[in-house]
């Protein structure tokens, strides 16, 4: 589930959070940081489950509205003979009936009904969309079609929902900026179900989902990658940050933006620790990450500084690559 890009982001966030405590009376230890990283990884999969679990609650609200309409004083033909396609969609029935999914979701101890305002606002929004009207007008009823509809909902209603993002951020510090990634995996699941596949809990790391065709070259563990990177960045923070300060003319180390410093330290730690990862790949990864987590000029600063420092380490013969 978790790829190398998001693992790099998680390591960077962990290092950043730890660095903020080092001048306090109770600084974070490496053990604390490793625990934080592992919990962060698990929380991403929990967020995926949480969002996939929204299908049935929205469906139940739609069904309740159709039932409530029958109690109106002045009934219309639509009230008497409503279009039940969405209220009886096969995806909600499938997830409700899948024991493995229900067991995994129930472990979250979360009830979407306590956030019924978000559910109702979502339902109000989608019913006015052209793609929803087209879905309702089509007489076909199939799991494939229902999966396609909820893919629309995940992509167009949830990805940029500030209200949903604020709710999730308030629930867990680990869910900041991770909604889009979790929704991507929800859509992958819907794609598999539409093809006739069965639901199963995704492996936590993408390397665990891969099989090597060459016994002599097993798949490298993403879990090991993330822990090794964190340990290298943590252990080398003072050394690498001192190098950064020396390379920035006229700047003291404590005047550098902490996010930029942590990004640079993570990149240098990766370059120096992983001989199988090309230097250019590592640099490009952290420059991309800096565009989202640094200042407006961070990517230029990070790119230039990392390039300069890596070349200096290479000139000293300290960078070893396969």
């Amino acid at each position: 589930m978790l790829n190398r890009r998001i693992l790099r982001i998680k390591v960077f966030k962990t290092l950043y959070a730890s660095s903020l405590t080092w001048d306090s009376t109770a600084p974070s230890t490496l053990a604390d940081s490793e625990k934080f990283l592992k919990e962060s990884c698990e929380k991403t999969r929990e967020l995926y489950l949480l969002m996939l679990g929204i299908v049935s609650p929205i469906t139940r609200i739609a069904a309740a509205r159709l039932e409530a309409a029958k109690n109106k004083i002045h009934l219309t033909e639509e009230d008497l003979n409503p279009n039940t396609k969405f209220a009886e969609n096969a995806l909600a029935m499938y997830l409700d009936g899948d024991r493995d999914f229900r067991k995994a979701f129930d472990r979250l101890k979360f009830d979407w009904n306590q956030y019924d305002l978000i559910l109702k606002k979502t339902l109000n929004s989608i019913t006015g969309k052209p793609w929803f009207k087209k879905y309702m007008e089509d007489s076909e009823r199939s799991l494939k079609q229902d999966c396609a509809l909820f893919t629309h909902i995940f992509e167009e209603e949830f990805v940029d929902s500030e209200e949903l993002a604020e709710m999730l951020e308030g629930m867990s510090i680990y869910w900041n900026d991770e909604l889009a990634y979790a929704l991507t995996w929800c859509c992958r699941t819907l794609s598999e179900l539409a093809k006739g596949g069965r639901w199963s809990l995704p492996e936590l790391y993408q390397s665990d989902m891969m099989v090597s065709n060459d016994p002599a070259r097993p798949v490298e563990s993403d879990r090991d990658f993330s822990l090794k990177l964190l340990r290298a960045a943590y252990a080398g923070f003072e050394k690498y940050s001192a190098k950064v300060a020396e390379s920035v003319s006229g700047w003291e180390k404590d005047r550098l933006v902490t996010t930029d410093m942590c990004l640079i330290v993570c990149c240098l730690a990766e370059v120096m620790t992983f001989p199988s990862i090309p230097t250019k790949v590592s640099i490009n990864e952290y420059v991309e990450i800096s565009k989202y987590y640094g200042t407006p000029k961070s990517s230029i600063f990070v790119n230039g500084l990392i390039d300069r420092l890596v070349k200096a380490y290479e000139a000293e013969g300290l960078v070893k690559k396969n």
Side-chain angles (χ1 to χ4, degrees):
M1 181 172 189
L2 301 177
N3 61 28
R4 290 283 177 100
R5 168 66 64 81
I6 197 167
L7 287 173
R8 287 182 173 98
I9 292 173
K10 286 180 178 294
V11 170
F12 151 68
K13 286 183 175 181
T14 302
L15 186 67
Y16 174 76
S18 298
S19 69
L20 297 179
T21 72
W22 289 338
D23 292 330
S24 68
T25 55
S28 295
T29 64
L30 177 57
D32 294 330
S33 296
E34 289 183 2
K35 180 180 179 182
F36 185 95
L37 177 61
K38 292 174 183 177
E39 289 179 352
S40 174
C41 292
E42 287 288 353
K43 281 294 183 179
T44 302
R45 187 163 58 180
E46 288 184 11
L47 181 56
Y48 152 81
L49 285 168
L50 190 76
M51 293 312 303
L52 194 58
I54 204 172
V55 172
S56 294
I58 289 181
T59 300
R60 286 194 288 271
I61 288 178
R65 286 185 178 181
L66 296 182
E67 195 63 31
K70 296 179 181 179
N71 297 321
K72 291 164 56 176
I73 296 177
H74 301 292
L75 295 172
T76 64
E77 179 62 26
E78 185 177 355
D79 295 330
L80 292 170
N81 298 289
N83 185 341
T84 61
K85 184 176 181 177
F86 180 74
E88 297 174 351
N89 75 80
L91 179 59
M93 294 180 186
Y94 175 87
L95 294 176
D96 282 343
D98 189 284
R99 291 184 178 181
D100 291 336
F101 176 75
R102 294 314 318 170
K103 184 178 179 180
F105 184 83
D106 290 344
R107 279 200 296 264
L108 301 179
K109 300 186 185 304
F110 178 81
D111 184 2
W112 269 110
N113 292 323
Q114 61 185 313
Y115 297 100
D116 62 331
L117 289 179
I118 289 179
L119 300 178
K120 291 175 181 177
K121 287 180 67 174
T122 299
L123 186 58
N124 292 340
S125 177
I126 65 175
T127 52
K129 298 296 172 63
W131 42 265
F132 183 82
K133 293 178 180 179
K134 183 178 179 180
Y135 161 85
M136 294 295 284
E137 291 168 359
D138 191 334
S139 60
E140 177 190 345
R141 293 197 179 200
S142 66
L143 177 60
K144 180 179 179 180
Q145 199 177 64
D146 296 336
C147 287
L149 175 71
F150 273 96
T151 297
H152 270 298
I153 296 173
F154 286 140
E155 292 178 341
E156 301 187 29
E157 298 295 321
F158 295 149
V159 169
D160 296 320
S161 172
E162 293 183 3
E163 186 177 13
L164 181 58
E166 184 177 341
M167 179 200 91
L168 294 171
E169 189 174 346
M171 291 171 59
S172 173
I173 60 172
Y174 299 105
W175 287 343
N176 183 30
D177 299 329
E178 294 210 346
L179 177 58
Y181 191 80
L183 291 173
T184 296
W185 273 89
C186 288
C187 292
R188 288 188 185 187
T189 294
L190 298 185
S191 177
E192 289 301 312
L193 294 179
K195 296 174 185 176
R198 304 294 299 177
W199 183 85
S200 62
L201 185 66
E203 295 286 352
L204 187 54
Y205 301 96
Q206 282 201 12
S207 61
D208 295 336
M209 305 168 72
M210 302 166 63
V211 178
S212 174
N213 294 322
D214 184 357
R217 299 184 63 185
V219 176
E220 295 181 359
S221 168
D222 288 336
R223 175 185 178 278
D224 292 348
F225 164 79
S226 62
L227 287 171
K228 189 175 181 180
L229 176 59
L230 175 63
R231 290 164 185 164
Y234 192 99
F237 191 89
E238 284 300 320
K239 175 179 66 176
Y240 295 134
S241 59
K243 274 286 188 182
V244 171
E246 290 173 10
S247 301
V248 183
S249 178
W251 283 77
E252 297 293 334
K253 186 173 67 173
D254 58 2
R255 290 182 61 195
L256 293 170
V257 177
T258 308
T259 52
D260 289 352
M261 180 67 83
C262 290
L263 284 167
I264 294 170
V265 168
C266 284
C267 185
L268 293 176
E270 181 172 319
V271 169
M272 302 295 284
T273 308
F274 295 89
S276 64
I277 302 176
T279 299
K280 183 176 289 187
V281 170
S282 298
I283 295 175
N284 288 343
E285 283 291 302
Y286 289 97
V287 169
E288 285 300 311
I289 294 172
S290 71
K291 293 177 182 179
Y292 297 94
Y293 294 97
T295 63
K297 296 182 180 180
S298 284
S299 61
I300 299 173
F301 175 75
V302 169
N303 189 18
L305 197 51
I306 289 175
D307 186 60
R308 190 190 318 165
L309 291 171
V310 168
K311 286 179 179 177
Y313 281 127
E314 288 175 337
E316 297 176 35
L318 299 176
V319 179
K320 308 293 184 181
K321 295 294 179 181
N322 294 341

